[in-house]
Amino acid sequence: MTSDDIRTEIRNLVLHHDAEGLASRLPKLTDAERATVAAELPGLLAELRESPLATATVSWDAFDWTANDQVTGRSEVLMMVGAATIPGPAGAATWLMKRDLNPRWSGAPSPHRLVKALSGRPVAWRADLAVRLARRIRRSDDRIVPLALALLRDGEATPPDHEPLVAAWLSAVGVAKDPLTPHLLPKIFEAAGASRALVNETLTPKPSRWLALAARTLSREQIITGCVGRFLLGGDVRDLRFFVRLHTLVAPTPEESAGRLRDYLRLLPAAPGPVAELAWQQVRRARLDPADVAEAIEAMTFRQEAKLAVKGLTWLDRHLRHHPERVADHVTALTNAYAHASHEVRDRAVTLTLKHAGHLTDPVPILEAAELLPPASARQVLERFSEGWTGEFTPGRLPEATIPGPFPTSGLESGPPEEIGWIDIEAWLAAVTREAHTNPDPLKETLARRFGEHLRPVLYDWPTWQSPRDWCTALARELVNPGEDPGPPMSRPPGQRPRSDAGQAVPGLSGGLGQALYEGMATVAATAFQLFPGLRTVVPLHEMPDYVQEMLRTVDVQTDLYDPTARPAPAPWNRLPRLRECARPHAFLLSRLDELLRAAKAGALPPVLLATPTRADGHLDPETLLNRLAMCAHSGCEPLPLDLEQALLRLPPDSAPDLAERAKSIGSAAGAVVARWFERGAPPSPEVELTWTLDLGSHVVPYDDRVLDQRGIANVSWRPVEPTGLAHLDALLTAPEMRPFRRLSRDFWPGMTPHHRELAAAHLAFGLIDRFDPPDIAIDDLRDLTLAEGASGPATALVLAYFLTVEGDDAVPSLLQLAAKGALPAAETGRLLGLLGRRTRYEAGPALPSLELAAKQGAHAEVWTIMRHFLASFLPGEGERARRPHTDAVVLATDIAMWAGARGEIPEVAAHAKKRGSTSLTRACRSLHQFLTREA
């Protein structure tokens, strides 16, 4: 055949994707014909790259992404032709690795057809190519892996020393009587990635493929040496799992392990658990000298796994049974166990220490480490080794209750618009109201400087104001420039929009359709500039293209929206959010601020705000309120209604008939309201009730304790109190109907109800434990709550229990303050803490160290009450599995009971104490039960 005939034949086979035809034809080519085809390859590849996609043959497989052009669609046949015709192995390897022929996510070419196509090449040539391809493997899933392995097997080539090749071979499809096994299998102990390829090998019910092959092919010495060496290299449990199972399958004899005892000892302290246990089995059977025994036991007690530490202490017990004089060699092992997280490990260590105390000549290390033990265990050690030790830990004294100072008198230079707290805002409102009557001009200058015009677009373009700071800003701007608020965007009247010729304004727009498009664009632009005047500062008109400027000049966008004389009056409007979406205190506060702003707009600000507190916790002195009422009456104006209602909430709750007579004598309507309040006293705080339901996704059902589920919901409700006749105040005293989503003013709430802590807590607790993410609540809210006065109940307890689980020690100061005030709902807090741990996703375990800290700082009696009720609701019931937090809770309760001198059986603890067995929980319950039921 001529050269043209060969080129045409091979070209047609390539274009028709005839891989089988190429596999049969290519081995028969002569050297000259190979050279002819190889010379044609660059031109054929360039032609295919430039060919339109429409002529490509696309696979019917919807998931085949390889046929997106002419080259990738024919990658396999092009690889066959290049590998079979390019003269040198290096060039062939480069061709096979071309990026065009190996598109991402494409499947591997058939190695059998490629090997068949190369069968006409010399054996040495094929072996060279196989080695070159094997060296280019980087990952086990490389597209070239099947071909490289097939060529290595076909050419009987010696595989290169290349670690990714080993992992790729282990991950590939196996071959019976694989000629690569003798070369690659011994390398599994050193090759990176080999362990991950073997991670799923199992021993039961029978050894799987690679385990059986390794045990059958490699010598025992080779396996034991390789496994121990791999253990010493390190790695996690997943990396070493195969080698642990292979070592277990081989089961070295004591004679085989004798020469590697030092290596096994090195593995004990820090190797992953399964490796350490395997090493312990080898060390335990060997004959060791006393120094090696001490090293091994010390390493075992150093480990975090309780099972391994217990094995080490059991070994120590047996060893000391025969050689009690050697206990001094094992002091480090014992003190390691003192610091262990497992109660069983600590108890065993203390028992061993006391059992062999007579042979310990130097007790100093034991006494120093005893501080790591729980107090009950430490007491036993200290009594035995410390002469003259008579005392136990003595908790501190409760701190003094914080006494709020006087309410600060703020000037106008502080407060909004900065991010500030509720005290600053209340003081600022009082100062603005006062100065508006006494010094209006200096007030206007100060507010104009602090609340500049740059705030107007940001403020007035919002339809509602959620933050108290926004309302304060609006009040300041109203006093600076009365009437400037144009209303929310949707309440503003549309401007005049005269028609203009579209063809003149915008080149390319003509006819009816062009005119309609132009008017639509003009309307959109005009509406945007009217609703959001701040756009004029972001996108100046003179910087826009000419036709855009012409478009905007056709509408009245230059009107100053903030000048009440230059714009039509807006429709009636209100910037309050939907009050049903707000928490009741938040709605009350925003309504009060809206009332104050409307009074400023109407020029009817009172001379003084009645509700400004006289103490930093929100308390309002009755004498001060009466003086403010008299001032308002003297000026001839009635106080603002919501300001009056807020003032009533801040008064002491008890009735005061003498003050009622003074209020009546003022002679105003507000005075009469205050007089009735003094006569009856404040309404009682709500009696909050918590009910538990279970969220099943599609519906909610009552919670059943027989079913353990952590999707519990704590529903907060309370019975309505007797109406006061004041609408907003009655709404605040009523439980919400749905979970509120707007709670931005949480820091105000305790100060709004300074003598009704449980009311503020009830609103904070509403929706706290729900199917949704917890509402926006922070530890500062708990701190503010503790400053309030009044009774504490389930709502306060739920908030405190929640923060003990999520914030830990940060909740301790609040707990101490409530205890110092005698207002800590300890029993309810303990019960709810246990229910949170059982019924919700909040773990009770993290709260235990915080309770211990509170007990040490003087609240031991209160914390014991918490722990007593906590254990009653938290300990596992019949058929439930005990977990570590259960034991931790009982051990802590034992210590606190000792500090508090507690007595009295806890039925739930007694039930566990009477159980058979010797689990950590059972032993801890027996110890606590024995202490609580001791004789007087």
Side-chain angles (χ1 to χ4, degrees), residues 2 125 138 179 211 226 370 404 519 677 744 805 925:
T2 65
W125 191 97
R138 294 293 178 266
L211 282 171
E519 292 181 356
W677 187 275
L744 297 180
T805 62
C925 287

Side-chain angles (χ1 to χ4, degrees), residues 14 17 44-45 48-51 53 56-59 64-79 98-109 143:
V14 170
H17 296 268
L44 177 60
L45 189 61
L48 291 175
R49 286 172 177 162
E50 297 173 0
S51 299
L53 183 60
T57 303
V58 180
S59 168
D64 180 12
W65 292 9
T66 64
N68 58 350
D69 60 36
Q70 293 280 33
V71 175
T72 56
R74 296 177 172 81
S75 59
E76 181 180 359
V77 292
L78 288 170
M79 292 172 74
K98 286 183 72 69
R99 182 174 298 179
D100 286 354
L101 305 183
N102 293 277
R104 177 175 268 185
W105 312 120
S106 63
R143 194 168 182 261

Side-chain angles (χ1 to χ4, degrees), residues 1 36 56 105 128 163 167 252 488 627 686 746 826 924:
M1 297 180 66
T36 300
W105 312 120
D128 190 357
E163 291 187 357
N627 293 336
R746 300 185 317 274

Side-chain angles (χ1 to χ4, degrees), residues 770-783:
D770 206 340
R771 70 172 73 184
F772 308 105
D773 292 333
D776 47 347
I777 187 170
I779 190 65
D780 288 338
D781 300 325
L782 176 62
R783 298 191 184 106

Side-chain angles (χ1 to χ4, degrees), residues 536-616:
R536 277 175 275 174
T537 62
V538 178
V539 188
L541 185 64
H542 67 274
E543 294 183 3
M544 298 181 184
D546 293 340
Y547 67 90
V548 175
Q549 295 185 35
E550 176 62 27
M551 181 190 304
L552 296 180
R553 290 193 185 98
T554 62
V555 294
D556 183 17
V557 299
Q558 298 299 325
T559 300
D560 187 356
L561 294 181
Y562 308 124
D563 183 0
T565 63
R567 56 166 166 78
W573 53 270
N574 192 323
R575 293 197 189 263
L576 288 171
R578 293 182 180 179
L579 297 185
R580 65 189 305 267
E581 297 178 359
C582 302
R584 295 293 171 87
H586 186 59
F588 184 94
L589 174 63
L590 296 190
S591 299
R592 180 179 163 222
L593 294 172
D594 176 66
E595 173 188 74
L596 191 61
L597 177 60
R598 290 183 181 277
K601 289 177 180 291
L605 279 177
V608 64
L609 291 181
L610 300 183
T612 304
T614 55
R615 209 166 62 192

